[in-house]
Amino acid sequence: MADMDGILENKDKDYGIGTPVATNNYHLKGLEGTDWGIRDRMSRIFRPSTGKTVMLAFDHGYIMGPTSGLERLDLGIAPLIKYADSLMCTRGSLRSVVPANSNKAICLRYSAGSTILTELNNECVIDPIDAVRLNASALAVMISAGGTYEALTIKNLVKAADYGYKYGIPTMGVTAVGTQMARDSKYFGLASRVAAENGANIVKTYYCDGFAKVVNACPVPIVIAGGKKLPELEALELCYVAINEGAAGVDMGRNVFQSEAPEAMIQAVSAVVHEGLSAKQGYEMFLDLK
Ligand code: 5RP
C-alpha cells in the first residue's frame, strides 16, 4: 500500500517489516511525468546518491575551433574523463577521443550550425537516430531568448524535446546570453523557464545574483556553466554558491581544462559538488593534488 509520500512498504516479514521496496521519490525534480528511459538517463547524468552532476563540457570547438586547452582533445580531455559524471561534447569529439568503455553519461551537443566568426545561434539540430546510435543520455540544444534567432532556437528545442520524448532521451536547454542581454536573475529566470516549459528536462544557465529565484522558478534541474577561466579558488567559490543556492550540478569546461592542473581541479570541483566541501577546502584539495 502506498503511504502519503508514495513509498511502497512491503510488510511481508521475508523483506523485513517496513522495508521500502519501491518509491516514486526521485532524486531530481521534474521527473514525475516522464517515461522510464528519461528517468534512467537522468539517473546516469545525476548521481542518485547526491542528486548532482559534474558535467565536463568540451563542446567549445564546434563554434570556436581549437580553443585554448582543447587544441589536442586526446591530451586535454582523455585524462579527465574518469573524474566526471557526464560529458558534454559533440558527436565529432565523442567518436574521436572518448572510449566507448568509459561508461559515462553523454550529453550530446545536439544543435549546431554557426561559428563565432558570424552570427551565433543560427542553428539546426542533428539526426535523432545518430543520438540514439551514440546512446546519448541527453540532447543539448542552445536557446537564445531575446536574440535574433530566438524563434529558430526555441523551435530547435521543441524539436529535440519531441524526439527526446519519442526515444526516451532527456533534452538539456542551454541558455545563450547575447551581448545586449543583462546577465541577471530576471533574464536567466525567463530563459530557464522558457526552456523547461518547452520540454527541456535539464537547463544549463549561468550563476547570477538572486540565483535561488531562478532555480525555484524552474521546474527541472539547473546546472551552471563555468564561463570564462577564473583563478581556481574563485571557480570553486562559484561552484559552492551555485550548489548551495539550488543548482543540481555544474557543466564546467574552461575552468577545468584551462586550469594549471586540470585533473586536480575536476577532483576539487567534484568534492565541492558531491561531498559538501567549502570552496576553501576544495582549494586546499586542489593544491594538495596538483
Ligand atoms: C559552449 C557551451 C559550454 O559547454 C558551456 O558554456 C560550459 O563551458 P564553460 O564552463 O567553459 O562555460 O555550451 O557552447
Side-chain angles (χ1 to χ4, degrees):
M1 185 189 299
D3 71 9
M4 294 298 285
D5 294 318
I7 296 173
L8 291 174
E9 289 193 332
N10 192 306
K11 305 289 184 196
D12 186 315
K13 64 180 179 352
D14 290 338
Y15 291 96
I17 301 290
T19 304
V21 294
T23 176
N24 62 9
N25 288 343
Y26 298 108
H27 58 297
L28 296 163
K29 60 181 176 175
L31 288 188
E32 278 73 13
T34 61
D35 203 352
W36 196 92
I38 291 195
R39 293 178 195 167
D40 172 65
R41 289 181 169 92
M42 291 288 278
S43 302
R44 282 176 53 73
I45 297 170
F46 296 91
R47 282 191 203 174
S49 57
T50 62
K52 310 244 170 357
T53 191
V54 173
M55 187 180 282
L56 174 64
F58 54 99
D59 59 323
H60 306 62
Y62 97 102
I63 46 173
M64 297 180 183
T67 320
S68 167
L70 290 183
E71 297 89 343
R72 287 280 306 267
L73 280 167
D74 54 342
L75 302 181
I77 290 303
L80 307 178
I81 291 174
K82 61 176 177 288
Y83 301 112
D85 299 299
S86 49
L87 307 175
M88 182 185 179
C89 59
T90 61
R91 56 181 172 176
S93 59
L94 181 65
R95 284 192 166 99
S96 49
V97 297
V98 180
N101 62 2
S102 305
N103 197 23
K104 295 293 171 183
I106 303 303
C107 184
L108 186 69
R109 165 55 69 179
Y110 191 67
S111 64
S114 55
T115 74
I116 48 166
L117 301 177
T118 58
E119 181 75 48
L120 276 176
N121 305 322
N122 184 3
E123 295 193 325
C124 60
V125 292
I126 66 176
D127 181 352
I129 299 302
D130 207 32
V132 172
R133 196 178 286 123
L134 291 167
N135 196 28
S137 290
L139 312 173
V141 179
M142 187 85 85
I143 70 156
S144 173
T148 311
Y149 292 103
E150 177 185 89
L152 175 65
T153 58
I154 294 176
K155 281 181 204 159
N156 283 340
L157 176 77
V158 168
K159 207 183 280 178
D162 285 344
Y163 289 138
Y165 280 108
K166 187 169 174 185
Y167 296 113
I169 308 177
T171 299
M172 181 164 93
V174 174
T175 64
V177 210
T179 43
Q180 69 282 26
M181 303 299 164
R183 298 173 77 94
D184 60 14
S185 60
K186 204 168 163 194
Y187 178 73
F188 291 130
L190 181 150
S192 300
R193 181 65 173 263
V194 165
E197 299 258 0
N198 280 290
N201 307 97
I202 311 167
V203 169
K204 189 210 83 172
T205 193
Y206 293 88
Y207 181 78
C208 59
D209 282 346
F211 181 69
K213 270 197 281 182
V214 177
V215 171
N216 291 337
C218 182
V220 300
I222 288 188
V223 294
I224 60 138
K228 285 187 183 148
K229 172 78 175 72
L230 300 166
E232 278 75 5
L233 178 57
E234 284 176 37
L236 291 165
E237 279 164 354
L238 175 67
C239 297
Y240 181 81
V241 291
I243 294 296
N244 278 278
E245 290 176 38
V250 297
D251 176 31
M252 192 167 260
R254 287 164 286 181
N255 278 293
V256 173
F257 61 71
Q258 292 177 352
S259 165
E260 56 180 295
E263 285 186 68
M265 186 59 180
I266 192 168
Q267 290 177 80
V269 167
S270 185
V272 170
V273 169
H274 289 298
E275 290 163 33
L277 261 61
S278 67
K280 198 163 162 280
Q281 289 168 324
Y283 186 61
E284 280 158 13
M285 180 177 174
F286 167 77
L287 294 176
D288 283 348
L289 290 171
K290 87 169 185 176

